[in-house]
Amino acid sequence: MSARVLPAHEPAAIEEAAAVLRRGGLVAFPTETVYGLGADAFDPRAVARVFEVKARPSFDPLIVHLADAADLSRVSPALDPRVSALAAQFWPGPLTLVLPRRPEVPDLVTSGLDTVGVRVPAHPAARALIQAAGTPVAAPSANPFGYVSPTTAAHVAELLGPAVDLVLDGGPCRVGVESTILSLAGQTPVILRPGGVPREALEEALGVALEVAGRPARPLAPGQLEKHYATRTPLRILPGPAGRAPEGRVGLLAWRTAGPEGYAAAEVLAPDGSPETAAANLFAALRRLDTAGLDLILAEPCDEAGLGHAIMDRLRRAEAPPTAGPARRARRR
Ligand code: TXA
Ligand code: MG
């Protein structure tokens, strides 16, 4: 059996999806970053199903999605003046803010933390859905835990199948990498995960240089887990442009041109050389290589400026050796 997929631009589909959310069901929906697997954030039973379907460990909190920044007070007291400034500039858009939570937000959503991750997605179908549901929507990326995030409705349907009540198809995701997560929970703002809003833009808005959190022993974001966003095929990042193909069935994730011949499969991320194009293509290209029966994927590196930061972050986490932990269990599914 496969998932039910409806076109996201049809008002009747949005209404039906909103009704599914209101009665505690799960809806996969497009955002500008990646597809999300949504549940009513105030319904702990629905949220529990999200964890189950993704095989996601419960120490890993979910991002709460709002239709509008004006709804922020439903999940966070947010007295911080930096919040309104950032919201005005970057919402709707690929920025998640980690803020003090309201006690009404279920513990399962925040993994018992005293903070909540919040964002207003830019995709019109996402906002229409949340608006119509009349409730904030908790949504992780719509993939099994640890695997590459889906950027099309077809990926979602393949990865999660009938475990999802409804999939809204809004076409391929425009940004292609997940939101940047910025924590405003402590004195100093910290980037917990590089993503769709470049660090440089946040630094300019806040007027401070930003730290990017390292890999703590107990991760606050699985974005912080060393092995994450991973293909099942081993992946190695090359030191520079690709050379001749090594022995075996080796695939190439190339930056601007297809590179030398001899690779069993090749994907070009950015024929125009722009990191925005590369980010939009990244996860779909990784999935195609991952399903091509390869022994190894070699990836060309890119400049770590703007979205290049998020791209290299995802590639490094895909490259990291498996750790004994939930990510590894999910990879065996
Ligand atoms: O672009 C995105 O952010 C996508 C779309 C669907 O919105 N969502 C997404 O969700 O990437 P997920 O669950 O795959 O990653 C969310 C990250 C996790 O690493 C989680 O640990 C972190 O957000 N997070 C959520 N709430 C947090 C909190 N209170 N403190 C620290 N990290 C938090
Ligand atoms: Mg994810």
Side-chain angles (χ1 to χ4, degrees):
M1 223 173 74
S2 56
R4 234 180 121 225
V5 182
L6 294 178
H9 60 86
E10 279 181 10
I14 297 288
E15 273 315 315
E16 187 173 340
V20 169
L21 289 176
R22 282 194 299 266
R23 61 168 186 265
L26 304 190
V27 174
F29 62 98
T31 82
E32 75 280 23
T33 59
V34 300
Y35 275 72
L37 177 61
D40 176 353
F42 286 114
D43 181 344
R45 286 174 58 112
V47 174
R49 263 191 74 206
V50 170
F51 281 87
E52 208 176 286
V53 166
K54 274 188 64 107
R56 180 174 174 120
S58 61
F59 66 74
D60 187 7
L62 304 183
I63 294 172
V64 174
H65 296 68
L66 304 173
D68 198 285
D71 300 330
L72 185 58
S73 59
R74 295 184 70 175
V75 295
S76 172
L79 305 167
D80 191 328
R82 293 171 300 184
V83 174
S84 33
L86 290 169
Q89 189 174 343
F90 296 104
W91 282 352
L95 176 67
T96 294
L97 296 177
V98 171
L99 302 171
R101 70 185 268 205
R102 277 203 182 283
E104 294 82 2
V105 181
D107 274 334
L108 198 51
V109 171
T110 66
S111 300
L113 296 173
D114 51 13
T115 56
V116 60
V118 198
R119 86 176 186 103
V120 179
H123 197 295
R127 297 182 72 195
L129 171 67
I130 302 163
Q131 187 79 52
T135 180
V137 172
S141 51
N143 52 281
F145 186 73
Y147 192 59
V148 180
S149 301
T151 51
T152 67
H155 293 170
V156 178
E158 277 161 38
L159 291 169
L160 300 178
V164 184
D165 297 304
L166 193 60
V167 180
L168 288 176
D169 185 351
C173 299
R174 175 172 58 80
V175 177
V177 290
E178 297 85 348
S179 60
T180 302
I181 303 180
L182 179 72
S183 173
L184 294 176
Q187 281 292 323
T188 321
V190 181
I191 293 180
L192 299 182
R193 178 179 71 184
V197 172
R199 176 175 69 191
E200 296 88 333
L202 294 174
E203 289 181 330
E204 197 175 314
L206 290 167
V208 294
L210 286 171
E211 293 279 313
V212 179
R215 316 265 163 90
R218 182 182 180 277
L220 278 177
Q224 293 180 274
L225 286 175
E226 192 134 333
K227 182 92 189 162
H228 208 71
Y229 308 110
T231 49
R232 295 182 173 99
T233 313
L235 179 144
R236 294 282 160 269
I237 302 172
L238 292 164
R244 218 148 33 101
E247 288 290 297
R249 281 191 59 81
V250 179
L252 178 65
L253 186 68
W255 182 249
R256 199 166 180 163
T257 53
E261 295 194 352
Y263 287 90
E267 292 284 341
V268 180
L269 284 182
D272 63 358
S274 93
E276 286 75 20
T277 305
N281 289 328
L282 179 67
F283 288 144
L286 281 173
R287 274 182 57 82
R288 282 192 295 269
L289 291 173
D290 202 21
T291 50
L294 302 168
D295 303 322
L296 177 68
I297 299 168
L298 293 177
E300 289 184 336
C302 71
D303 257 4
E304 286 195 67
L307 284 195
H309 196 51
I311 294 169
M312 286 306 289
D313 172 82
R314 302 304 186 273
L315 290 178
R316 285 200 192 96
R317 286 173 217 275
E319 180 184 46
T323 41
R328 183 172 197 180
R329 281 202 298 281
R331 275 163 46 83
R332 282 211 215 98
R333 277 156 51 98

